[in-house]
Amino acid sequence: MSIPGLLPELEVIRKDFPILERVLDGGRPLVYLDSANTSQKPQVVIDTMVDHLEHHNANVARAMHQLGAESSEAFEAARDKVAAFIKAPSRDEVIFTKNATEALNLVANTLAWRGDLQVGEGDEVVITEMEHHSNIVPWQLLTERTGATLRWFGLTDDGRLDLSDIDELITERTKVVSLAWVSNMLGTINPVREIADRAHQVGAIVVVDASQAAPQLPVDVVASGADVLVFTGHKVVGPTGIGVLWGRREVLEALPPFHGGGEMIETVRMERSTYAGIPHKFEAGTPPIVEAVGLGAAVDYLGHVGMDAIHAHEQAITAYALEGLRTVPGLTVMGPLDAASRGGAISFEITGVHPHDVAQVLDSRGIAVRAGHHCAKPAHARFGVQSSTRMSSYLYTTPAEIDALVDGLNYTRSYFKLGE
Amino acid sequence: MDLDSLYQEIILDHYKHPHHAGLRDPYEAEVHHVNPTCGDELTLRVHLADGVVSDVSYDAMGCSISQASASVMADLLIGKDVDEAMSIHQTFLELMQGKGQVEPDEDVLGDGIAFAGVAKFPARVKCALLSWMAWKDATAQSLEKEKA
Protein backbone atom coordinates (compact mmCIF):
# COMPACT_ATOMS: atom_id res chain seq x y z
CA MET A 1 0.00 0.00 0.00
CA SER A 2 1.17 3.52 -0.64
CA ILE A 3 0.28 6.75 1.07
CA PRO A 4 1.35 10.25 0.04
CA GLY A 5 4.70 11.39 1.39
CA LEU A 6 6.35 7.97 1.64
CA LEU A 7 9.85 7.69 0.24
CA PRO A 8 9.33 6.77 -3.42
CA GLU A 9 11.99 4.06 -3.34
CA LEU A 10 11.10 2.59 0.03
CA GLU A 11 11.75 -0.99 -1.07
CA VAL A 12 15.18 0.00 -2.36
CA ILE A 13 15.93 1.82 0.90
CA ARG A 14 14.93 -1.26 2.89
CA LYS A 15 17.39 -3.36 0.90
CA ASP A 16 20.15 -1.03 2.14
CA PHE A 17 19.51 -2.28 5.70
CA PRO A 18 20.52 -5.96 5.91
CA ILE A 19 19.01 -6.49 9.38
CA LEU A 20 15.51 -5.87 8.00
CA GLU A 21 15.80 -9.27 6.29
CA ARG A 22 16.30 -10.88 9.68
CA VAL A 23 13.95 -13.71 10.59
CA LEU A 24 13.51 -14.13 14.35
CA ASP A 25 13.10 -17.34 16.37
CA GLY A 26 10.04 -19.25 15.23
CA GLY A 27 10.25 -17.89 11.68
CA ARG A 28 8.84 -14.46 12.48
CA PRO A 29 9.96 -11.62 10.21
CA LEU A 30 11.30 -8.59 12.06
CA VAL A 31 9.06 -5.53 12.43
CA TYR A 32 11.46 -2.97 13.86
CA LEU A 33 9.61 -0.08 15.50
CA ASP A 34 12.30 0.99 17.98
CA SER A 35 14.33 3.44 15.92
CA ALA A 36 14.08 6.27 18.46
CA ASN A 37 15.97 3.91 20.75
CA THR A 38 18.57 3.09 18.13
CA SER A 39 18.33 3.09 14.36
CA GLN A 40 19.40 0.23 12.11
CA LYS A 41 22.51 0.59 9.95
CA PRO A 42 22.74 0.60 6.16
CA GLN A 43 25.26 -1.63 4.41
CA VAL A 44 27.35 1.37 3.41
CA VAL A 45 28.00 2.27 7.07
CA ILE A 46 28.92 -1.31 7.90
CA ASP A 47 31.19 -1.60 4.84
CA THR A 48 32.88 1.74 5.47
CA MET A 49 33.74 0.72 9.03
CA VAL A 50 34.98 -2.72 7.97
CA ASP A 51 37.06 -1.17 5.17
CA HIS A 52 38.62 1.27 7.59
CA LEU A 53 39.54 -1.49 10.03
CA GLU A 54 40.78 -3.79 7.27
CA HIS A 55 42.83 -1.30 5.29
CA HIS A 56 43.41 2.02 7.04
CA ASN A 57 43.50 1.41 10.78
CA ALA A 58 45.96 3.53 12.73
CA ASN A 59 45.79 6.14 15.44
CA VAL A 60 44.95 9.65 14.33
CA ALA A 61 47.04 12.81 14.45
CA ARG A 62 50.00 11.12 16.07
CA ALA A 63 51.23 8.43 13.67
CA MET A 64 53.92 9.50 11.20
CA HIS A 65 53.24 6.79 8.66
CA GLN A 66 50.99 6.20 5.68
CA LEU A 67 48.27 4.42 7.62
CA GLY A 68 48.30 7.18 10.21
CA ALA A 69 47.80 9.74 7.47
CA GLU A 70 44.96 7.73 5.92
CA SER A 71 43.25 7.22 9.25
CA SER A 72 43.58 10.91 10.18
CA GLU A 73 42.22 11.90 6.80
CA ALA A 74 39.21 9.61 7.15
CA PHE A 75 38.54 10.86 10.69
CA GLU A 76 38.75 14.51 9.70
CA ALA A 77 36.70 13.88 6.56
CA ALA A 78 33.97 12.56 8.85
CA ARG A 79 34.07 15.90 10.68
CA ASP A 80 33.55 17.67 7.34
CA LYS A 81 30.58 15.44 6.53
CA VAL A 82 28.97 16.08 9.91
CA ALA A 83 29.58 19.83 9.56
CA ALA A 84 27.82 19.75 6.19
CA PHE A 85 24.97 17.63 7.59
CA ILE A 86 24.14 20.24 10.23
CA LYS A 87 25.23 23.26 8.14
CA ALA A 88 27.89 24.26 10.65
CA PRO A 89 29.64 27.51 9.63
CA SER A 90 33.00 25.94 10.52
CA ARG A 91 34.23 22.34 10.73
CA ASP A 92 36.22 23.33 13.84
CA GLU A 93 32.94 23.80 15.69
CA VAL A 94 32.17 20.07 15.39
CA ILE A 95 33.42 18.12 18.41
CA PHE A 96 33.27 14.33 18.50
CA THR A 97 32.11 12.87 21.82
CA LYS A 98 31.09 9.41 22.98
CA ASN A 99 27.36 10.16 22.66
CA ALA A 100 24.82 12.94 23.23
CA THR A 101 24.96 12.32 26.98
CA GLU A 102 28.68 13.03 27.07
CA ALA A 103 28.17 16.13 24.92
CA LEU A 104 25.55 17.51 27.34
CA ASN A 105 27.76 16.68 30.32
CA LEU A 106 30.69 18.40 28.64
CA VAL A 107 28.73 21.64 28.50
CA ALA A 108 27.03 21.37 31.89
CA ASN A 109 30.28 20.41 33.57
CA THR A 110 32.55 23.05 32.06
CA LEU A 111 30.04 25.81 32.82
CA ALA A 112 30.81 25.27 36.51
CA TRP A 113 34.39 26.49 36.16
CA ARG A 114 35.89 29.96 36.07
CA GLY A 115 35.37 31.68 32.74
CA ASP A 116 33.17 34.12 30.91
CA LEU A 117 30.21 31.76 30.92
CA GLN A 118 30.57 30.48 34.48
CA VAL A 119 27.29 29.65 36.22
CA GLY A 120 27.21 30.55 39.91
CA GLU A 121 25.04 31.44 42.85
CA GLY A 122 22.02 33.52 41.89
CA ASP A 123 22.12 32.32 38.29
CA GLU A 124 19.40 30.18 36.78
CA VAL A 125 19.32 27.30 34.33
CA VAL A 126 16.05 26.60 32.52
CA ILE A 127 15.11 23.18 31.11
CA THR A 128 11.76 21.52 30.37
CA GLU A 129 9.64 18.80 31.91
CA MET A 130 9.82 16.70 28.73
CA GLU A 131 13.60 16.22 28.71
CA HIS A 132 15.40 12.92 28.51
CA HIS A 133 17.22 12.23 31.80
CA SER A 134 20.47 13.12 30.02
CA ASN A 135 19.24 16.69 29.67
CA ILE A 136 18.02 16.88 33.28
CA VAL A 137 20.62 15.26 35.51
CA PRO A 138 23.70 17.12 34.17
CA TRP A 139 21.91 20.43 34.89
CA GLN A 140 20.90 19.23 38.36
CA LEU A 141 24.56 18.42 38.97
CA LEU A 142 25.64 21.85 37.69
CA THR A 143 23.14 23.82 39.76
CA GLU A 144 23.71 21.73 42.89
CA ARG A 145 27.47 22.22 42.61
CA THR A 146 27.38 25.93 41.92
CA GLY A 147 24.44 27.10 44.02
CA ALA A 148 22.53 28.12 40.90
CA THR A 149 18.81 27.41 40.56
CA LEU A 150 17.21 24.94 38.17
CA ARG A 151 13.85 25.92 36.67
CA TRP A 152 11.75 24.35 33.94
CA PHE A 153 8.94 24.77 31.48
CA GLY A 154 5.87 22.68 32.33
CA LEU A 155 3.76 20.84 29.77
CA THR A 156 0.25 21.33 28.46
CA ASP A 157 -2.25 18.46 28.54
CA ASP A 158 -1.66 17.75 24.86
CA GLY A 159 2.07 17.34 25.46
CA ARG A 160 3.48 20.65 24.32
CA LEU A 161 5.69 23.09 26.21
CA ASP A 162 3.64 25.50 28.28
CA LEU A 163 5.12 28.80 27.17
CA SER A 164 2.58 30.95 29.02
CA ASP A 165 5.13 31.81 31.72
CA ILE A 166 8.14 32.20 29.44
CA ASP A 167 8.76 35.76 30.63
CA GLU A 168 8.81 34.67 34.27
CA LEU A 169 11.06 31.70 33.48
CA ILE A 170 13.61 33.31 31.19
CA THR A 171 14.88 36.41 32.97
CA GLU A 172 18.02 38.43 33.49
CA ARG A 173 19.14 35.70 35.92
CA THR A 174 18.98 32.98 33.24
CA LYS A 175 22.41 31.80 32.11
CA VAL A 176 21.44 28.67 30.19
CA VAL A 177 18.31 27.37 28.48
CA SER A 178 18.56 23.71 27.49
CA LEU A 179 15.81 21.82 25.70
CA ALA A 180 15.02 18.96 23.38
CA TRP A 181 14.18 19.86 19.80
CA VAL A 182 11.99 16.76 19.51
CA SER A 183 10.77 14.85 22.59
CA ASN A 184 11.82 11.22 22.76
CA MET A 185 8.64 10.33 24.63
CA LEU A 186 5.88 12.69 23.47
CA GLY A 187 7.24 13.20 19.97
CA THR A 188 6.56 16.93 20.25
CA ILE A 189 8.60 19.23 18.02
CA ASN A 190 9.44 22.23 20.17
CA PRO A 191 9.61 25.87 18.98
CA VAL A 192 13.35 26.05 19.54
CA ARG A 193 13.87 29.28 17.62
CA GLU A 194 11.17 31.18 19.51
CA ILE A 195 12.61 30.13 22.87
CA ALA A 196 16.18 30.76 21.71
CA ASP A 197 15.30 34.30 20.64
CA ARG A 198 13.85 35.02 24.07
CA ALA A 199 16.90 33.47 25.77
CA HIS A 200 19.28 35.56 23.68
CA GLN A 201 17.43 38.74 24.67
CA VAL A 202 18.56 38.12 28.25
CA GLY A 203 22.04 36.97 27.24
CA ALA A 204 21.57 33.27 28.05
CA ILE A 205 23.14 30.51 25.97
CA VAL A 206 20.86 27.96 24.33
CA VAL A 207 21.67 24.26 24.38
CA VAL A 208 19.62 22.05 22.07
CA ASP A 209 19.36 18.29 22.47
CA ALA A 210 18.82 17.23 18.86
CA SER A 211 19.11 13.49 19.53
CA GLN A 212 15.61 12.86 18.15
CA ALA A 213 15.61 15.80 15.72
CA ALA A 214 18.80 15.10 13.78
CA PRO A 215 17.52 11.73 12.52
CA GLN A 216 14.33 13.13 11.03
CA LEU A 217 14.49 16.90 10.48
CA PRO A 218 16.79 18.93 8.25
CA VAL A 219 19.15 20.63 10.73
CA ASP A 220 20.63 24.09 10.22
CA VAL A 221 22.42 24.90 13.44
CA VAL A 222 22.55 28.64 12.86
CA ALA A 223 18.90 28.95 11.81
CA SER A 224 17.84 26.83 14.80
CA GLY A 225 18.98 29.55 17.20
CA ALA A 226 21.15 27.14 19.20
CA ASP A 227 24.47 28.13 20.68
CA VAL A 228 25.24 24.49 21.34
CA LEU A 229 23.55 21.51 19.68
CA VAL A 230 24.17 17.85 20.39
CA PHE A 231 23.11 14.54 18.89
CA THR A 232 24.19 10.94 18.88
CA GLY A 233 25.50 8.85 16.00
CA HIS A 234 23.56 5.67 16.54
CA LYS A 235 20.16 7.26 15.99
CA VAL A 236 21.19 8.67 12.57
CA VAL A 237 21.98 5.22 11.10
CA GLY A 238 25.55 5.47 12.42
CA PRO A 239 27.34 3.33 15.00
CA THR A 240 27.21 3.59 18.80
CA GLY A 241 30.11 5.16 20.67
CA ILE A 242 30.10 8.42 18.74
CA GLY A 243 28.23 11.64 19.42
CA VAL A 244 28.44 15.19 18.18
CA LEU A 245 28.65 18.49 19.98
CA TRP A 246 28.38 21.54 17.78
CA GLY A 247 28.93 24.93 19.37
CA ARG A 248 29.35 28.48 18.18
CA ARG A 249 33.07 29.21 18.10
CA GLU A 250 32.80 31.99 20.72
CA VAL A 251 31.01 29.66 23.13
CA LEU A 252 33.42 26.75 22.65
CA GLU A 253 36.40 29.04 23.06
CA ALA A 254 34.96 30.53 26.25
CA LEU A 255 34.43 27.12 27.86
CA PRO A 256 37.37 25.57 29.71
CA PRO A 257 38.53 22.05 28.72
CA PHE A 258 36.50 19.04 29.90
CA HIS A 259 38.81 16.01 29.84
CA GLY A 260 42.53 16.51 30.11
CA GLY A 261 44.97 14.28 28.23
CA GLY A 262 46.63 13.70 24.92
CA GLU A 263 45.60 15.62 21.81
CA MET A 264 43.86 18.41 23.74
CA ILE A 265 47.09 20.22 24.56
CA GLU A 266 49.33 22.73 22.91
CA THR A 267 52.23 22.12 25.26
CA VAL A 268 52.63 20.41 28.61
CA ARG A 269 55.10 21.32 31.34
CA MET A 270 55.04 19.95 34.87
CA GLU A 271 53.75 23.26 36.28
CA ARG A 272 50.96 23.80 33.80
CA SER A 273 49.79 23.20 30.25
CA THR A 274 48.33 25.21 27.45
CA TYR A 275 45.52 23.89 25.35
CA ALA A 276 44.87 23.20 21.72
CA GLY A 277 42.28 25.19 19.83
CA ILE A 278 38.86 23.80 19.00
CA PRO A 279 37.88 21.12 18.13
CA HIS A 280 40.87 19.29 19.63
CA LYS A 281 40.66 21.13 22.95
CA PHE A 282 37.61 18.95 23.71
CA GLU A 283 38.88 15.69 22.22
CA ALA A 284 41.33 14.32 24.79
CA GLY A 285 42.70 10.84 24.22
CA THR A 286 42.36 8.53 21.25
CA PRO A 287 38.92 9.27 19.84
CA PRO A 288 36.39 6.71 18.57
CA ILE A 289 38.00 6.69 15.12
CA VAL A 290 36.16 3.99 13.21
CA GLU A 291 32.91 5.15 14.82
CA ALA A 292 33.49 8.67 13.51
CA VAL A 293 34.26 7.29 10.06
CA GLY A 294 31.04 5.25 10.23
CA LEU A 295 29.09 8.32 11.30
CA GLY A 296 30.50 10.20 8.32
CA ALA A 297 29.17 7.48 6.01
CA ALA A 298 25.84 7.56 7.85
CA VAL A 299 25.19 11.28 7.44
CA ASP A 300 26.34 11.03 3.82
CA TYR A 301 23.74 8.32 3.32
CA LEU A 302 20.98 10.39 4.92
CA GLY A 303 22.04 13.41 2.87
CA HIS A 304 21.85 11.31 -0.28
CA VAL A 305 18.28 10.19 0.51
CA GLY A 306 17.51 13.79 1.52
CA MET A 307 16.44 15.00 4.95
CA ASP A 308 13.35 16.75 3.54
CA ALA A 309 12.23 13.46 1.98
CA ILE A 310 12.97 11.57 5.21
CA HIS A 311 10.99 14.11 7.20
CA ALA A 312 8.03 13.78 4.80
CA HIS A 313 8.23 9.98 5.10
CA GLU A 314 8.26 10.14 8.90
CA GLN A 315 5.26 12.45 8.90
CA ALA A 316 3.31 10.19 6.53
CA ILE A 317 4.08 7.09 8.61
CA THR A 318 3.33 8.93 11.86
CA ALA A 319 -0.05 10.14 10.57
CA TYR A 320 -0.86 6.61 9.40
CA ALA A 321 0.19 5.18 12.78
CA LEU A 322 -1.86 7.71 14.76
CA GLU A 323 -4.87 6.75 12.65
CA GLY A 324 -4.28 3.04 13.22
CA LEU A 325 -3.68 3.39 16.96
CA ARG A 326 -6.97 5.27 17.29
CA THR A 327 -8.81 2.08 16.28
CA VAL A 328 -7.44 0.08 19.23
CA PRO A 329 -9.95 0.15 22.13
CA GLY A 330 -8.61 1.57 25.39
CA LEU A 331 -5.48 3.00 23.79
CA THR A 332 -4.39 6.55 24.67
CA VAL A 333 -1.62 8.32 22.79
CA MET A 334 0.49 10.72 24.86
CA GLY A 335 1.59 13.89 23.11
CA PRO A 336 0.23 15.84 20.14
CA LEU A 337 -2.29 14.01 17.98
CA ASP A 338 -1.47 15.76 14.71
CA ALA A 339 1.48 14.34 12.82
CA ALA A 340 2.63 17.75 11.58
CA SER A 341 3.71 18.92 15.03
CA ARG A 342 5.46 15.77 16.10
CA GLY A 343 8.23 13.34 15.31
CA GLY A 344 8.06 9.62 14.68
CA ALA A 345 8.10 8.40 18.29
CA ILE A 346 4.61 7.64 19.59
CA SER A 347 4.14 6.65 23.24
CA PHE A 348 0.85 5.21 24.35
CA GLU A 349 -0.85 3.25 27.08
CA ILE A 350 -3.54 0.61 26.92
CA THR A 351 -5.95 0.39 29.83
CA GLY A 352 -5.56 -2.94 31.60
CA VAL A 353 -2.23 -4.04 30.15
CA HIS A 354 1.14 -2.94 31.45
CA PRO A 355 3.62 -1.70 28.81
CA HIS A 356 6.04 -4.54 29.61
CA ASP A 357 3.37 -7.04 28.85
CA VAL A 358 2.41 -5.21 25.66
CA ALA A 359 6.03 -5.27 24.49
CA GLN A 360 6.37 -8.95 25.42
CA VAL A 361 3.31 -10.01 23.43
CA LEU A 362 4.40 -7.86 20.46
CA ASP A 363 7.87 -9.43 20.64
CA SER A 364 6.29 -12.87 20.36
CA ARG A 365 5.03 -11.63 16.97
CA GLY A 366 8.39 -10.21 15.89
CA ILE A 367 7.46 -6.60 16.61
CA ALA A 368 10.15 -4.64 18.45
CA VAL A 369 8.97 -1.63 20.48
CA ARG A 370 10.17 -0.03 23.69
CA ALA A 371 8.37 -0.26 27.02
CA GLY A 372 9.21 1.62 30.19
CA HIS A 373 9.87 5.23 31.10
CA HIS A 374 12.14 5.88 28.07
CA CYS A 375 14.52 7.80 30.36
CA ALA A 376 11.83 10.47 30.73
CA LYS A 377 10.36 9.81 34.17
CA PRO A 378 9.26 13.41 34.85
CA ALA A 379 7.35 13.54 31.54
CA HIS A 380 5.57 10.30 32.45
CA ALA A 381 4.80 11.61 35.93
CA ARG A 382 3.31 14.75 34.35
CA PHE A 383 0.73 12.53 32.64
CA GLY A 384 0.14 10.45 35.74
CA VAL A 385 1.68 7.28 34.36
CA GLN A 386 4.70 5.32 35.38
CA SER A 387 5.58 3.92 31.99
CA SER A 388 4.37 3.59 28.45
CA THR A 389 4.82 1.61 25.26
CA ARG A 390 6.58 3.46 22.46
CA MET A 391 6.65 2.72 18.75
CA SER A 392 9.11 4.67 16.66
CA SER A 393 9.53 4.64 12.92
CA TYR A 394 12.28 5.70 10.55
CA LEU A 395 13.06 6.03 6.87
CA TYR A 396 12.74 2.27 6.35
CA THR A 397 9.35 1.86 8.08
CA THR A 398 6.42 0.71 5.92
CA PRO A 399 2.64 1.11 6.39
CA ALA A 400 2.44 -2.70 6.49
CA GLU A 401 4.60 -2.66 9.63
CA ILE A 402 2.18 -0.22 11.24
CA ASP A 403 -0.66 -2.59 10.30
CA ALA A 404 1.26 -5.42 11.98
CA LEU A 405 1.58 -3.28 15.12
CA VAL A 406 -2.13 -2.48 15.23
CA ASP A 407 -3.01 -6.16 14.73
CA GLY A 408 -0.50 -7.06 17.44
CA LEU A 409 -2.06 -4.58 19.87
CA ASN A 410 -5.53 -5.98 19.25
CA TYR A 411 -4.13 -9.46 19.81
CA THR A 412 -2.50 -8.22 23.04
CA ARG A 413 -5.86 -7.03 24.31
CA SER A 414 -7.50 -10.34 23.54
CA TYR A 415 -4.58 -12.24 25.11
CA PHE A 416 -5.15 -10.34 28.34
CA LYS A 417 -8.89 -10.92 27.97
CA LEU A 418 -9.89 -7.28 27.74
CA GLY A 419 -13.40 -6.62 26.40
CA GLU A 420 -14.34 -4.25 23.62
CA MET B 1 9.56 -17.85 22.68
CA ASP B 2 6.33 -19.44 23.80
CA LEU B 3 4.18 -16.71 25.28
CA ASP B 4 1.98 -19.15 27.22
CA SER B 5 4.99 -20.50 29.11
CA LEU B 6 5.53 -16.97 30.43
CA TYR B 7 1.94 -15.97 31.03
CA GLN B 8 0.58 -19.00 32.86
CA GLU B 9 -3.12 -18.81 33.69
CA ILE B 10 -2.21 -18.67 37.41
CA ILE B 11 -0.09 -15.56 36.81
CA LEU B 12 -2.85 -13.79 34.91
CA ASP B 13 -5.34 -14.68 37.66
CA HIS B 14 -3.12 -13.24 40.38
CA TYR B 15 -2.51 -10.16 38.21
CA LYS B 16 -6.23 -9.51 37.81
CA HIS B 17 -7.10 -10.38 41.42
CA PRO B 18 -4.06 -9.79 43.62
CA HIS B 19 -4.12 -11.35 47.10
CA HIS B 20 -3.25 -9.40 50.26
CA ALA B 21 -2.85 -6.15 48.29
CA GLY B 22 -2.89 -2.78 50.08
CA LEU B 23 -0.81 -1.43 52.94
CA ARG B 24 -1.84 -2.49 56.46
CA ASP B 25 -0.94 -1.86 60.09
CA PRO B 26 0.77 -2.99 62.20
CA TYR B 27 4.23 -3.36 60.68
CA GLU B 28 7.83 -3.12 61.85
CA ALA B 29 9.45 -2.19 58.55
CA GLU B 30 8.36 -0.57 55.32
CA VAL B 31 10.54 -0.53 52.20
CA HIS B 32 10.21 1.04 48.79
CA HIS B 33 11.88 -0.78 45.94
CA VAL B 34 12.05 0.28 42.32
CA ASN B 35 13.22 -1.33 39.14
CA PRO B 36 15.27 1.54 37.68
CA THR B 37 15.24 0.22 34.13
CA CYS B 38 11.46 0.01 33.78
CA GLY B 39 10.15 2.17 36.60
CA ASP B 40 8.15 -0.52 38.42
CA GLU B 41 7.63 0.52 42.04
CA LEU B 42 6.63 -1.33 45.17
CA THR B 43 6.04 -0.31 48.75
CA LEU B 44 5.98 -3.29 51.08
CA ARG B 45 5.42 -3.74 54.81
CA VAL B 46 6.32 -6.70 56.98
CA HIS B 47 4.81 -7.54 60.35
CA LEU B 48 6.58 -10.21 62.40
CA ALA B 49 5.17 -11.68 65.62
CA ASP B 50 6.77 -14.42 67.71
CA GLY B 51 9.07 -15.50 64.89
CA VAL B 52 6.19 -15.74 62.42
CA VAL B 53 5.55 -13.64 59.31
CA SER B 54 2.17 -12.47 60.44
CA ASP B 55 1.52 -10.04 57.60
CA VAL B 56 2.96 -8.90 54.28
CA SER B 57 1.13 -5.96 52.76
CA TYR B 58 2.05 -4.00 49.67
CA ASP B 59 1.19 -1.34 47.16
CA ALA B 60 2.63 -2.21 43.75
CA MET B 61 2.72 -0.54 40.36
CA GLY B 62 4.08 -2.68 37.60
CA CYS B 63 3.66 -5.35 34.99
CA SER B 64 1.65 -8.56 35.28
CA ILE B 65 4.72 -10.56 36.29
CA SER B 66 5.77 -8.24 39.12
CA GLN B 67 2.19 -7.81 40.38
CA ALA B 68 1.38 -11.52 40.28
CA SER B 69 4.67 -12.32 41.96
CA ALA B 70 3.86 -10.04 44.91
CA SER B 71 0.45 -11.68 45.25
CA VAL B 72 1.82 -15.25 45.14
CA MET B 73 4.59 -14.34 47.57
CA ALA B 74 2.20 -12.89 50.14
CA ASP B 75 0.08 -16.07 49.89
CA LEU B 76 3.14 -18.23 50.45
CA LEU B 77 4.86 -16.34 53.23
CA ILE B 78 2.10 -15.08 55.49
CA GLY B 79 1.79 -17.38 58.49
CA LYS B 80 5.14 -19.09 57.99
CA ASP B 81 8.01 -19.10 60.48
CA VAL B 82 10.62 -16.52 59.45
CA ASP B 83 13.19 -19.29 58.90
CA GLU B 84 10.86 -21.27 56.68
CA ALA B 85 9.88 -18.11 54.78
CA MET B 86 13.57 -17.36 54.19
CA SER B 87 14.04 -20.86 52.85
CA ILE B 88 11.06 -20.46 50.47
CA HIS B 89 12.59 -17.16 49.37
CA GLN B 90 15.85 -18.97 48.60
CA THR B 91 14.04 -21.68 46.62
CA PHE B 92 12.18 -19.08 44.54
CA LEU B 93 15.42 -17.18 43.93
CA GLU B 94 17.12 -20.35 42.69
CA LEU B 95 14.19 -21.05 40.38
CA MET B 96 14.36 -17.56 38.90
CA GLN B 97 18.11 -17.65 38.45
CA GLY B 98 18.06 -21.15 36.94
CA LYS B 99 17.63 -19.99 33.31
CA GLY B 100 14.69 -22.38 32.96
CA GLN B 101 16.76 -25.46 33.93
CA VAL B 102 15.48 -25.80 37.52
CA GLU B 103 12.52 -28.13 38.17
CA PRO B 104 10.17 -26.26 40.51
CA ASP B 105 8.98 -27.92 43.73
CA GLU B 106 5.23 -27.38 44.07
CA ASP B 107 5.24 -28.50 47.73
CA VAL B 108 7.48 -25.56 48.57
CA LEU B 109 6.43 -22.95 46.04
CA GLY B 110 2.71 -23.56 45.48
CA ASP B 111 1.47 -21.15 42.80
CA GLY B 112 5.07 -19.92 42.59
CA ILE B 113 5.84 -22.79 40.23
CA ALA B 114 3.95 -20.85 37.56
CA PHE B 115 6.97 -18.54 37.39
CA ALA B 116 9.26 -21.32 36.13
CA GLY B 117 8.65 -20.05 32.58
CA VAL B 118 9.68 -16.52 33.53
CA ALA B 119 13.22 -17.77 34.18
CA LYS B 120 13.56 -18.33 30.41
CA PHE B 121 12.98 -14.61 29.76
CA PRO B 122 16.05 -12.88 31.24
CA ALA B 123 14.53 -9.41 30.87
CA ARG B 124 11.58 -10.41 33.05
CA VAL B 125 13.38 -12.17 35.91
CA LYS B 126 13.86 -8.91 37.80
CA CYS B 127 10.12 -8.22 37.47
CA ALA B 128 9.38 -11.48 39.26
CA LEU B 129 11.99 -10.81 41.94
CA LEU B 130 11.07 -7.21 42.81
CA SER B 131 8.64 -8.07 45.61
CA TRP B 132 10.76 -10.95 46.95
CA MET B 133 13.81 -8.71 47.28
CA ALA B 134 11.67 -6.07 48.99
CA TRP B 135 10.30 -8.66 51.43
CA LYS B 136 13.78 -9.88 52.31
CA ASP B 137 14.95 -6.32 52.90
CA ALA B 138 11.93 -5.44 55.05
CA THR B 139 12.22 -8.67 57.04
CA ALA B 140 15.91 -8.09 57.72
CA GLN B 141 15.06 -4.60 58.98
CA SER B 142 12.28 -5.96 61.18
CA LEU B 143 14.62 -8.55 62.70
CA GLU B 144 17.23 -5.91 63.41
CA LYS B 145 14.66 -3.77 65.15
CA GLU B 146 13.63 -6.74 67.27
CA LYS B 147 17.23 -7.23 68.35
CA ALA B 148 17.71 -3.56 69.20
Side-chain angles (χ1 to χ4, degrees), chain A residues 224-343:
Chain A
S224 76
D227 296 293
V228 172
L229 179 142
V230 311
F231 66 98
T232 193
H234 70 94
K235 296 191 204 289
V236 292
V237 308
T240 54
I242 183 85
V244 172
L245 180 154
W246 168 84
R248 280 199 303 115
R249 177 179 291 276
E250 301 73 38
V251 172
L252 294 178
E253 285 178 346
L255 290 173
F258 181 40
H259 294 149
E263 189 62 23
M264 56 75 74
I265 52 94
E266 186 180 60
T267 186
V268 174
R269 285 177 299 126
M270 288 315 292
E271 298 77 24
R272 72 176 298 271
S273 302
T274 53
Y275 310 120
I278 60 167
H280 304 294
K281 172 176 141 187
F282 292 110
E283 291 182 353
T286 294
I289 300 165
V290 71
E291 290 81 0
V293 171
L295 175 60
V299 297
D300 254 7
Y301 176 86
L302 293 180
H304 179 72
V305 177
M307 288 310 295
D308 286 313
I310 291 170
H311 181 46
H313 180 82
E314 282 279 60
Q315 294 220 305
I317 289 287
T318 303
Y320 186 72
L322 287 168
E323 215 172 283
L325 292 173
R326 236 196 310 269
T327 66
V328 179
L331 186 148
T332 312
V333 168
M334 285 174 276
L337 294 175
D338 64 309
S341 55
R342 61 175 301 145

Side-chain angles (χ1 to χ4, degrees), chain A residues 356-357 360 373 386 415-416, chain B residues 4 7 16 36 38-39 64 124:
Chain A
H356 270 182
D357 297 317
Q360 190 87 58
H373 51 60
Q386 172 205 30
Y415 191 87
F416 282 92
Chain B
D4 294 340
Y7 294 116
K16 297 232 156 174
C38 64
S64 60
R124 303 306 292 276

